[in-house]
Amino acid sequence: MSIKGKAYIAGVYEHPTRHAPDKSVAQLHAECARGALADAGLTKDDVDGYFCAGDAPGGPMAMADYMGLKVRHLDGTETGGCSYIIHLGHAAEAIAAGRCSVALITLAGKPRTGGAPARAAGPEIDFEAAYGATTHNIYAMCALRHMHEFGTTSEQLAWVKVAASHHAQYNPHAMLRDVVTVEDVINSPMIADP
């Protein structure tokens, strides 16, 4: 079955808040939902499919209830940072298959309001917790493995940050807006190796 031409992105919203000590993560999800629906010219009553991942307190059922959504389809696929990209595909598939007609995807967090939320326990926790795994050293291990297998250099990886710094120029809510060079990245202090 092809989903081409059967589903479209109609509304988007990026919450301007990065430091939100007075808001819950659930509240931020709801505010993002309201903004995206307003951008699409829709209301919560139009939504019959809801998608969120591990950043949503309680998962999709709890968040749908919190936001007062009446849905026929829920998806809480969790794949880390790319969950929401996968949700786009899942939403298009659900719409094409007739499981819902208006899908809402929310992502929210409070990256500048303190520590990261506790990670869900999984089979890897016994191997990671003992060493104090953080996002930094987990990504460092992945980068080192990629360098080992494919010969990737630090300079090549630095281009990711360089590109992100250029993209940030077009986002008024970006946290880090200074344009950097490969040399800036290479000469910056090491955070994790791994």
Side-chain angles (χ1 to χ4, degrees):
M1 169 179 80
S2 173
I3 62 173
K4 186 175 182 177
K6 296 183 180 173
Y8 302 91
I9 296 173
V12 297
Y13 180 77
E14 178 185 6
H15 203 289
T17 302
R18 298 298 187 270
H19 180 69
D22 61 329
K23 297 177 186 276
S24 70
V25 173
Q27 184 178 356
L28 293 173
H29 272 271
E31 291 176 8
C32 288
R34 184 174 47 240
L37 291 170
D39 187 50
L42 301 169
T43 70
K44 70 180 183 74
D45 295 331
D46 296 309
V47 176
D48 60 352
Y50 178 61
F51 300 73
C52 65
D55 65 303
M61 288 180 67
M63 285 303 304
D65 184 53
Y66 176 81
M67 293 189 285
L69 302 175
K70 306 278 189 275
V71 297
R72 299 185 294 140
H73 184 78
L74 291 168
D75 187 328
T77 301
E78 174 60 64
T79 58
C82 67
S83 297
Y84 301 93
I85 296 168
I86 290 173
H87 288 166
L88 283 171
H90 286 187
E93 290 169 349
I95 291 168
R99 292 191 297 271
C100 64
S101 58
V102 175
L104 173 65
I105 303 167
T106 62
L107 160 65
K110 301 181 349 173
R112 292 209 158 175
T113 310
R119 293 180 53 198
E124 73 283 356
I125 198 69
D126 290 335
F127 300 99
E128 294 177 355
Y131 302 101
T134 66
T135 302
H136 305 92
N137 59 19
I138 290 173
Y139 274 99
M141 285 191 287
C142 295
L144 284 178
R145 183 64 187 187
H146 198 277
M147 294 167 95
H148 172 76
E149 285 192 33
F150 302 105
T152 309
T153 66
S154 294
E155 289 79 11
Q156 289 169 320
L157 291 176
W159 278 103
V160 175
K161 171 59 182 163
V162 171
S165 74
H166 285 272
H167 297 311
Q169 302 310 298
Y170 302 101
N171 183 344
H173 306 301
M175 289 172 37
L176 302 172
R177 298 197 48 138
D178 293 337
V179 173
V180 298
T181 66
V182 169
E183 294 75 27
D184 293 333
V185 176
I186 296 299
N187 295 325
S188 65
M190 180 64 66
I191 295 173
D193 186 30

